[in-house]
Each structure stands twice: as structure tokens, then as C-alpha cells.
Amino acid sequence: MTQQPLGPPPIDPMSDVSWARVEREVWSRLDTEASGAIRRVSPPRRTGVYLGAAVAAAATVAIIVAATRSSESSESRETAREDEIARVVTAASPSMVAFGDIELTAAEDTAVVFDRDPKKPSAMVEHGAAWFEVAPRNGRARFVVRAGDATVEVIGTRFRVARAGEHVEVEVDRGVVGVTYHGTVVQLVAHDHWSSDPVAIAPPPPSPPSPPSPPTPPTPPTPIVVAPKPQRPTTEADRARFEQLSALEVHDPATAITGYLELASHTSSWSELALFAAGRLAFDRGDPRAAKLLDTYVSRFPDGANATDARHLLARLKSHP
């Protein structure tokens, strides 16, 4: 009977926290090797297989270490000194990496450059999104994350930075961070969210339309008041007086002229006849008052019943002074 060879023992998948612990152990051993004091630690009997598999798997994590000094040998570059730069790149799945007391959880399709310089630790998000969990610095240098034109400065907190081109977003889970963007500093606390997009300012609401003014009533036309033409009252007394004076012209023309002038001062229709009669009688008697009386009649009654006769008599007086 042929005995089948035994394959490698089955390996359970490791969680992100286990990966972080393994990676810290790897970095610690690499630092020991770089200092020339390599200390071999015999793994426990039951965990030796798992540790060897974890170290082999850790080599597949996409972390590219670039030495800060180009003169160092390739062996020293692989030791990942604390003052060196690491670049974390993820593809279709997220990944968690720990750098000392700073944990980085990068989402899928993300690239982050990490500077481990203890005097000025920082990270730069090239694209994608990543959560940063930073332990309280306790007097150590602040941790700074750069994404495009935005700079996030923290002391101890958990926050997320996302970048797509020039668009940057910052989200705070706990603690306080300061975001500097184009000269403006914004402080964010737990559950705050910041975006580099300009804040849209809503236009002010339109003013309600003014109620229409009531129509102005048309101005009534000013009534044209035509003063009634004064009526010359005709009284029986003035008529009787005029007839009496006419009878006196033959016997007493002087009294008749005086009576005619008195009657001409009245307002009845007989005053016009009395004024002309006085001028005519004065003309017949050669009285020097004739011209003045006739001229007064023409002036007062230019369209009177005797106006033509009065003008004729005046013409005669002018031609025969």
C-alpha cells in the first residue's frame, strides 16, 4: 500500500488586526537586524507554522519603502528605518497598516505616501480615501496629512481624508483636527465634515410683489362757469321816464339832457337809449358836450342799436368842428 505524502497544514485567514500585529513584529525585527544585533526568537511549537506563513504573506502587502539616503545599501533600505518613507497602495480591497502609534486604513484603489520622520511625521493622500487613527502625541510632533491643497493637522484623533483630483473631503470621528485650505483654517470636531467644494450661497428669496396701487380716480374736469350776461332789467318806470324826457326835448331840451344822463346811469335796457338820446340832443343844440357823450356811448355800447348813428354824428363833428 502506497502512502500518500502529507501536504502543508491548513492556514486560517488572518484579520486586519492580526496583520497589523504581525507587521509591527516584522518592523521590530528588521530594525534589530539593521543595528547588527540580530536576535532569533524561537517561535512556540504550535505557532511556528502560522508565523512563517504570516511573514511570507506580509511580503505581499503593497508597501514600497524608499530610503531617505541614496547612499545606503539595498540591505539597509529593506530594514524600513523610522526616518524613511513608505508608500501604501491598495487595489480592489482595503488594507490596514500600522506605523508605530499611527494606524492607517486605506480604502480600495488608494495610494498614500507615509513619512515616518519622528520630528515631522506626515502622510500624503495621492488618491482614494484613508482613515487615520493617531494616538495622543503627548508633547511629540503633530501629525500632518496633506491632500492636494488641503492640510490636516492633528494631535490625537480618528479622521478620514478622501481625495479625487483636486477635490478633498475630511471627516472626523473623534477628537479635533484643523484643516488649512487656500489660507483659510477650519477647525473640525467629532462628526464634522468638510469639503473643498465652494459653498453655494443661495440667492436671497425674491421680495414679494408689492400690491398694486389702487387706480387713481380721474380728476374731474374743472367746471367752466360761464357768468351769465347781466340782464338789463326793463322796468316800466324807466320806460315811462324815457318817454317823459322825449316829450320835454321840444320845450325844455336842457332838462331833457339832464334827465337822459340820469337815466343812463341805471342798469336797465333804457340806459343805452337814454345815453344816445342825450348825445344826439346835445349835437342838435350845438352843445359842446355832444362829442364826449357820443364817444362814451360808442365805447360802452360798440354794438348797440344806435352805434352806427353815433359814429356818423361823431364824424360830422370832426369834419365841422
Side-chain angles (χ1 to χ4, degrees):
M1 180 176 180
T2 305
Q3 187 176 5
Q4 297 292 334
L6 296 177
I11 300 176
D12 294 333
M14 300 180 66
S15 64
D16 290 341
V17 175
S18 298
W19 273 108
R21 292 174 179 173
V22 170
E23 187 179 22
R24 281 197 291 268
E25 180 66 22
V26 171
W27 284 117
S28 176
R29 296 193 176 195
L30 290 175
D31 291 340
T32 303
E33 182 181 352
S35 62
I38 302 177
R39 182 170 58 92
R40 300 183 179 273
V41 179
S42 300
R45 183 176 303 173
R46 297 181 60 184
T47 60
V49 176
Y50 297 100
L51 180 59
V55 173
T60 63
V61 177
I63 303 177
I64 304 173
V65 180
T68 56
R69 290 185 236 171
S70 59
S71 60
E72 294 180 347
S73 63
S74 59
E75 181 179 357
S76 62
R77 291 174 185 169
E78 295 174 357
T79 60
R81 291 164 50 96
E82 289 188 355
D83 59 350
E84 291 175 346
I85 297 175
R87 187 169 185 266
V88 179
V89 181
T90 60
S93 59
S95 178
M96 186 184 73
V97 181
F99 295 94
D101 57 357
I102 300 173
E103 289 188 359
L104 164 68
T105 303
E108 62 275 7
D109 192 20
T110 297
V112 180
V113 177
F114 202 100
D115 190 345
R116 305 177 63 206
D117 187 349
K119 296 180 180 179
K120 50 178 181 178
S122 64
M124 182 180 66
V125 180
E126 295 181 350
H127 61 81
W131 279 97
F132 296 87
E133 185 166 359
V134 183
R137 308 306 289 165
N138 296 327
R140 291 175 293 173
R142 295 188 178 188
F143 179 63
V144 176
V145 178
R146 296 179 176 85
D149 293 338
T151 301
V152 184
E153 187 175 358
V154 300
I155 297 177
T157 181
R158 184 174 185 270
F159 62 99
R160 175 180 177 269
V161 178
R163 178 184 180 185
E166 296 303 321
H167 173 76
V168 181
E169 293 185 6
V170 179
E171 178 183 352
V172 178
D173 181 41
R174 63 175 181 268
V176 181
V177 304
V179 180
T180 303
Y181 184 76
H182 290 176
T184 301
V185 179
V186 179
Q187 189 177 68
L188 306 180
V189 297
H191 311 300
D192 279 351
H193 178 271
W194 176 88
S195 173
S196 61
D197 290 340
V199 179
I201 301 176
S207 301
S210 302
S213 302
T216 304
T219 304
T222 303
I224 301 176
V225 179
V226 179
K229 188 175 182 180
Q231 299 293 328
R232 298 178 186 146
T234 301
T235 64
E236 292 298 326
D238 287 348
R239 178 179 180 180
R241 179 61 176 163
F242 183 82
E243 291 177 352
Q244 182 184 6
L245 293 173
S246 296
L248 288 175
E249 288 186 9
V250 178
H251 305 289
D252 192 358
T255 302
I257 291 175
T258 303
Y260 281 140
L261 292 178
E262 181 184 357
L263 184 59
S265 63
H266 294 185
T267 58
S268 68
S269 60
W270 293 99
S271 62
E272 176 187 346
L273 298 176
L275 181 58
F276 175 73
R280 174 187 52 79
L281 184 57
F283 176 83
D284 292 342
R285 297 181 68 250
D287 191 319
R289 294 178 296 175
K292 183 176 180 180
L293 292 174
L294 292 172
D295 187 63
T296 301
Y297 176 83
V298 173
S299 298
R300 286 181 60 185
F301 308 104
D303 298 323
N306 298 297
T308 301
D309 294 338
R311 292 187 182 92
H312 177 69
L313 296 176
L314 284 172
R316 290 179 60 183
L317 287 173
K318 291 179 181 180
S319 61
H320 298 88

